[in-house]
Amino acid sequence: MNIILLGPPGAGKGTQAARLEKERGMVQLSTGDMLRAAVKAGTPVGLKVKAVMEAGELVSDAIVSALIGERLDGDAANGAIFDGYPRTQAQAEALDVLLRERNRSLDHVIELEVDEAALVDRVTGRFTCAQCGTGYHDRYKLPVVSGVCDVCGSAEFKRRPDDNAETVRTRMSEYRAKTAPILPFYEALGIVQRIDGMAAMDKVSGEIASILDRD
Ligand code: AMP
């Protein structure tokens, strides 16, 4: 099964994709994670995209589509959750070709509908355990014991450099200008489902599950 999770930054795509990976053995393809790994490792791609990512703008279509292509021939050969990709019309068309070349197709595009004003608040307070990746929030979900991860006990946490208010606003406007307009492309295929991304995490997971289990 190949599905796209679509929605602005902070809509919960990454959280839901990680749950699907854990619970259903699906493979999460997050171009944001791949790019952050490239920046951390200092690869040529990482050096090229670092400043663009810090500004909250989109990196080139060719770079992200190449990253996706590599994974479709690797660990995601049997299906994928596209998280943060495609983000432009050109990427949607590239994905179409990448899948078609492999005799594959999209099953669902799930749009997480959210309230933008609340998103800035959600994104600017989030941080994760540096060890196990568990997500926390300054205002909504602090570790039970201050400074210690509830899950693995690590005392190291990290924040994304692009999760500040100004960059989040740029990321939102990039979403509005370039990503939301690709929805009609998928609507024409009759595969778009919309769910309320402001609902509690478990409710969102339940709705995604019922879409996937309908097949
Ligand atoms: P994300 O983790 O999905 O929020 O992505 C973080 C940043 O990585 C974005 O603000 C962009 O700079 C870059 N990025 C991630 N995915 C894409 C994509 N599909 N197209 C262009 N830029 C991307």
Side-chain angles (χ1 to χ4, degrees):
M1 191 183 282
N2 297 289
I3 68 168
I4 295 176
L5 294 183
L6 208 68
K13 306 182 296 290
T15 304
Q16 296 299 334
R19 285 187 174 195
L20 289 170
E21 187 165 65
K22 203 165 153 204
E23 287 161 17
R24 296 180 180 240
M26 296 172 79
V27 176
Q28 174 185 13
L29 295 189
S30 157
T31 40
D33 285 350
M34 294 178 216
L35 293 168
R36 277 185 288 280
V39 169
K40 197 169 172 206
T43 66
V45 166
L47 295 176
K48 211 178 210 169
V49 301
K50 187 170 186 278
V52 179
M53 289 177 76
E54 276 170 9
E57 290 160 11
L58 295 186
V59 312
S60 88
D61 293 327
I63 288 181
V64 287
S65 294
L67 290 172
I68 290 286
E70 283 167 26
R71 297 285 296 272
L72 287 177
D73 292 327
D75 60 330
N78 295 319
I81 310 158
F82 298 98
D83 159 14
Y85 178 91
R87 261 179 156 98
T88 63
Q89 182 69 27
Q91 291 177 27
E93 287 165 15
L95 177 60
D96 196 43
V97 172
L98 285 169
L99 289 173
R100 221 171 314 162
E101 284 170 349
R102 292 162 179 78
N103 290 319
R104 291 162 63 173
S105 60
L106 284 169
D107 298 284
H108 300 287
V109 175
I110 301 177
E111 186 195 7
L112 300 173
E113 291 187 300
V114 284
D115 166 26
E116 272 201 28
L119 284 191
V120 177
D121 181 52
R122 241 198 218 184
V123 175
T124 53
R126 68 184 181 181
F127 63 100
T128 54
C129 169
Q131 207 65 45
C132 71
T134 298
Y136 295 97
H137 197 282
D138 291 328
R139 292 174 289 284
Y140 309 120
K141 194 195 163 201
L142 284 166
V144 175
V145 177
S146 176
V148 181
C149 175
D150 296 347
V151 177
C152 73
S154 163
E156 245 185 90
F157 297 89
K158 59 181 185 184
R159 287 176 196 267
R160 282 172 48 169
D162 58 349
D163 276 352
N164 60 79
E166 191 195 337
T167 310
V168 171
R169 286 188 205 283
T170 305
R171 288 158 64 200
M172 300 274 181
S173 60
E174 288 282 68
Y175 180 82
R176 235 180 286 121
K178 297 174 185 161
T179 309
I182 69 180
L183 271 161
F185 177 81
Y186 294 119
E187 266 156 5
L189 303 175
I191 55 172
V192 177
Q193 315 274 346
R194 293 194 164 80
I195 57 182
D196 176 12
M198 298 312 291
M201 255 183 235
D202 289 344
K203 178 143 195 288
V204 175
S205 302
E207 291 194 14
I208 293 176
S210 73
I211 292 168
L212 304 188
D213 292 339
R214 241 178 263 158
D215 292 327

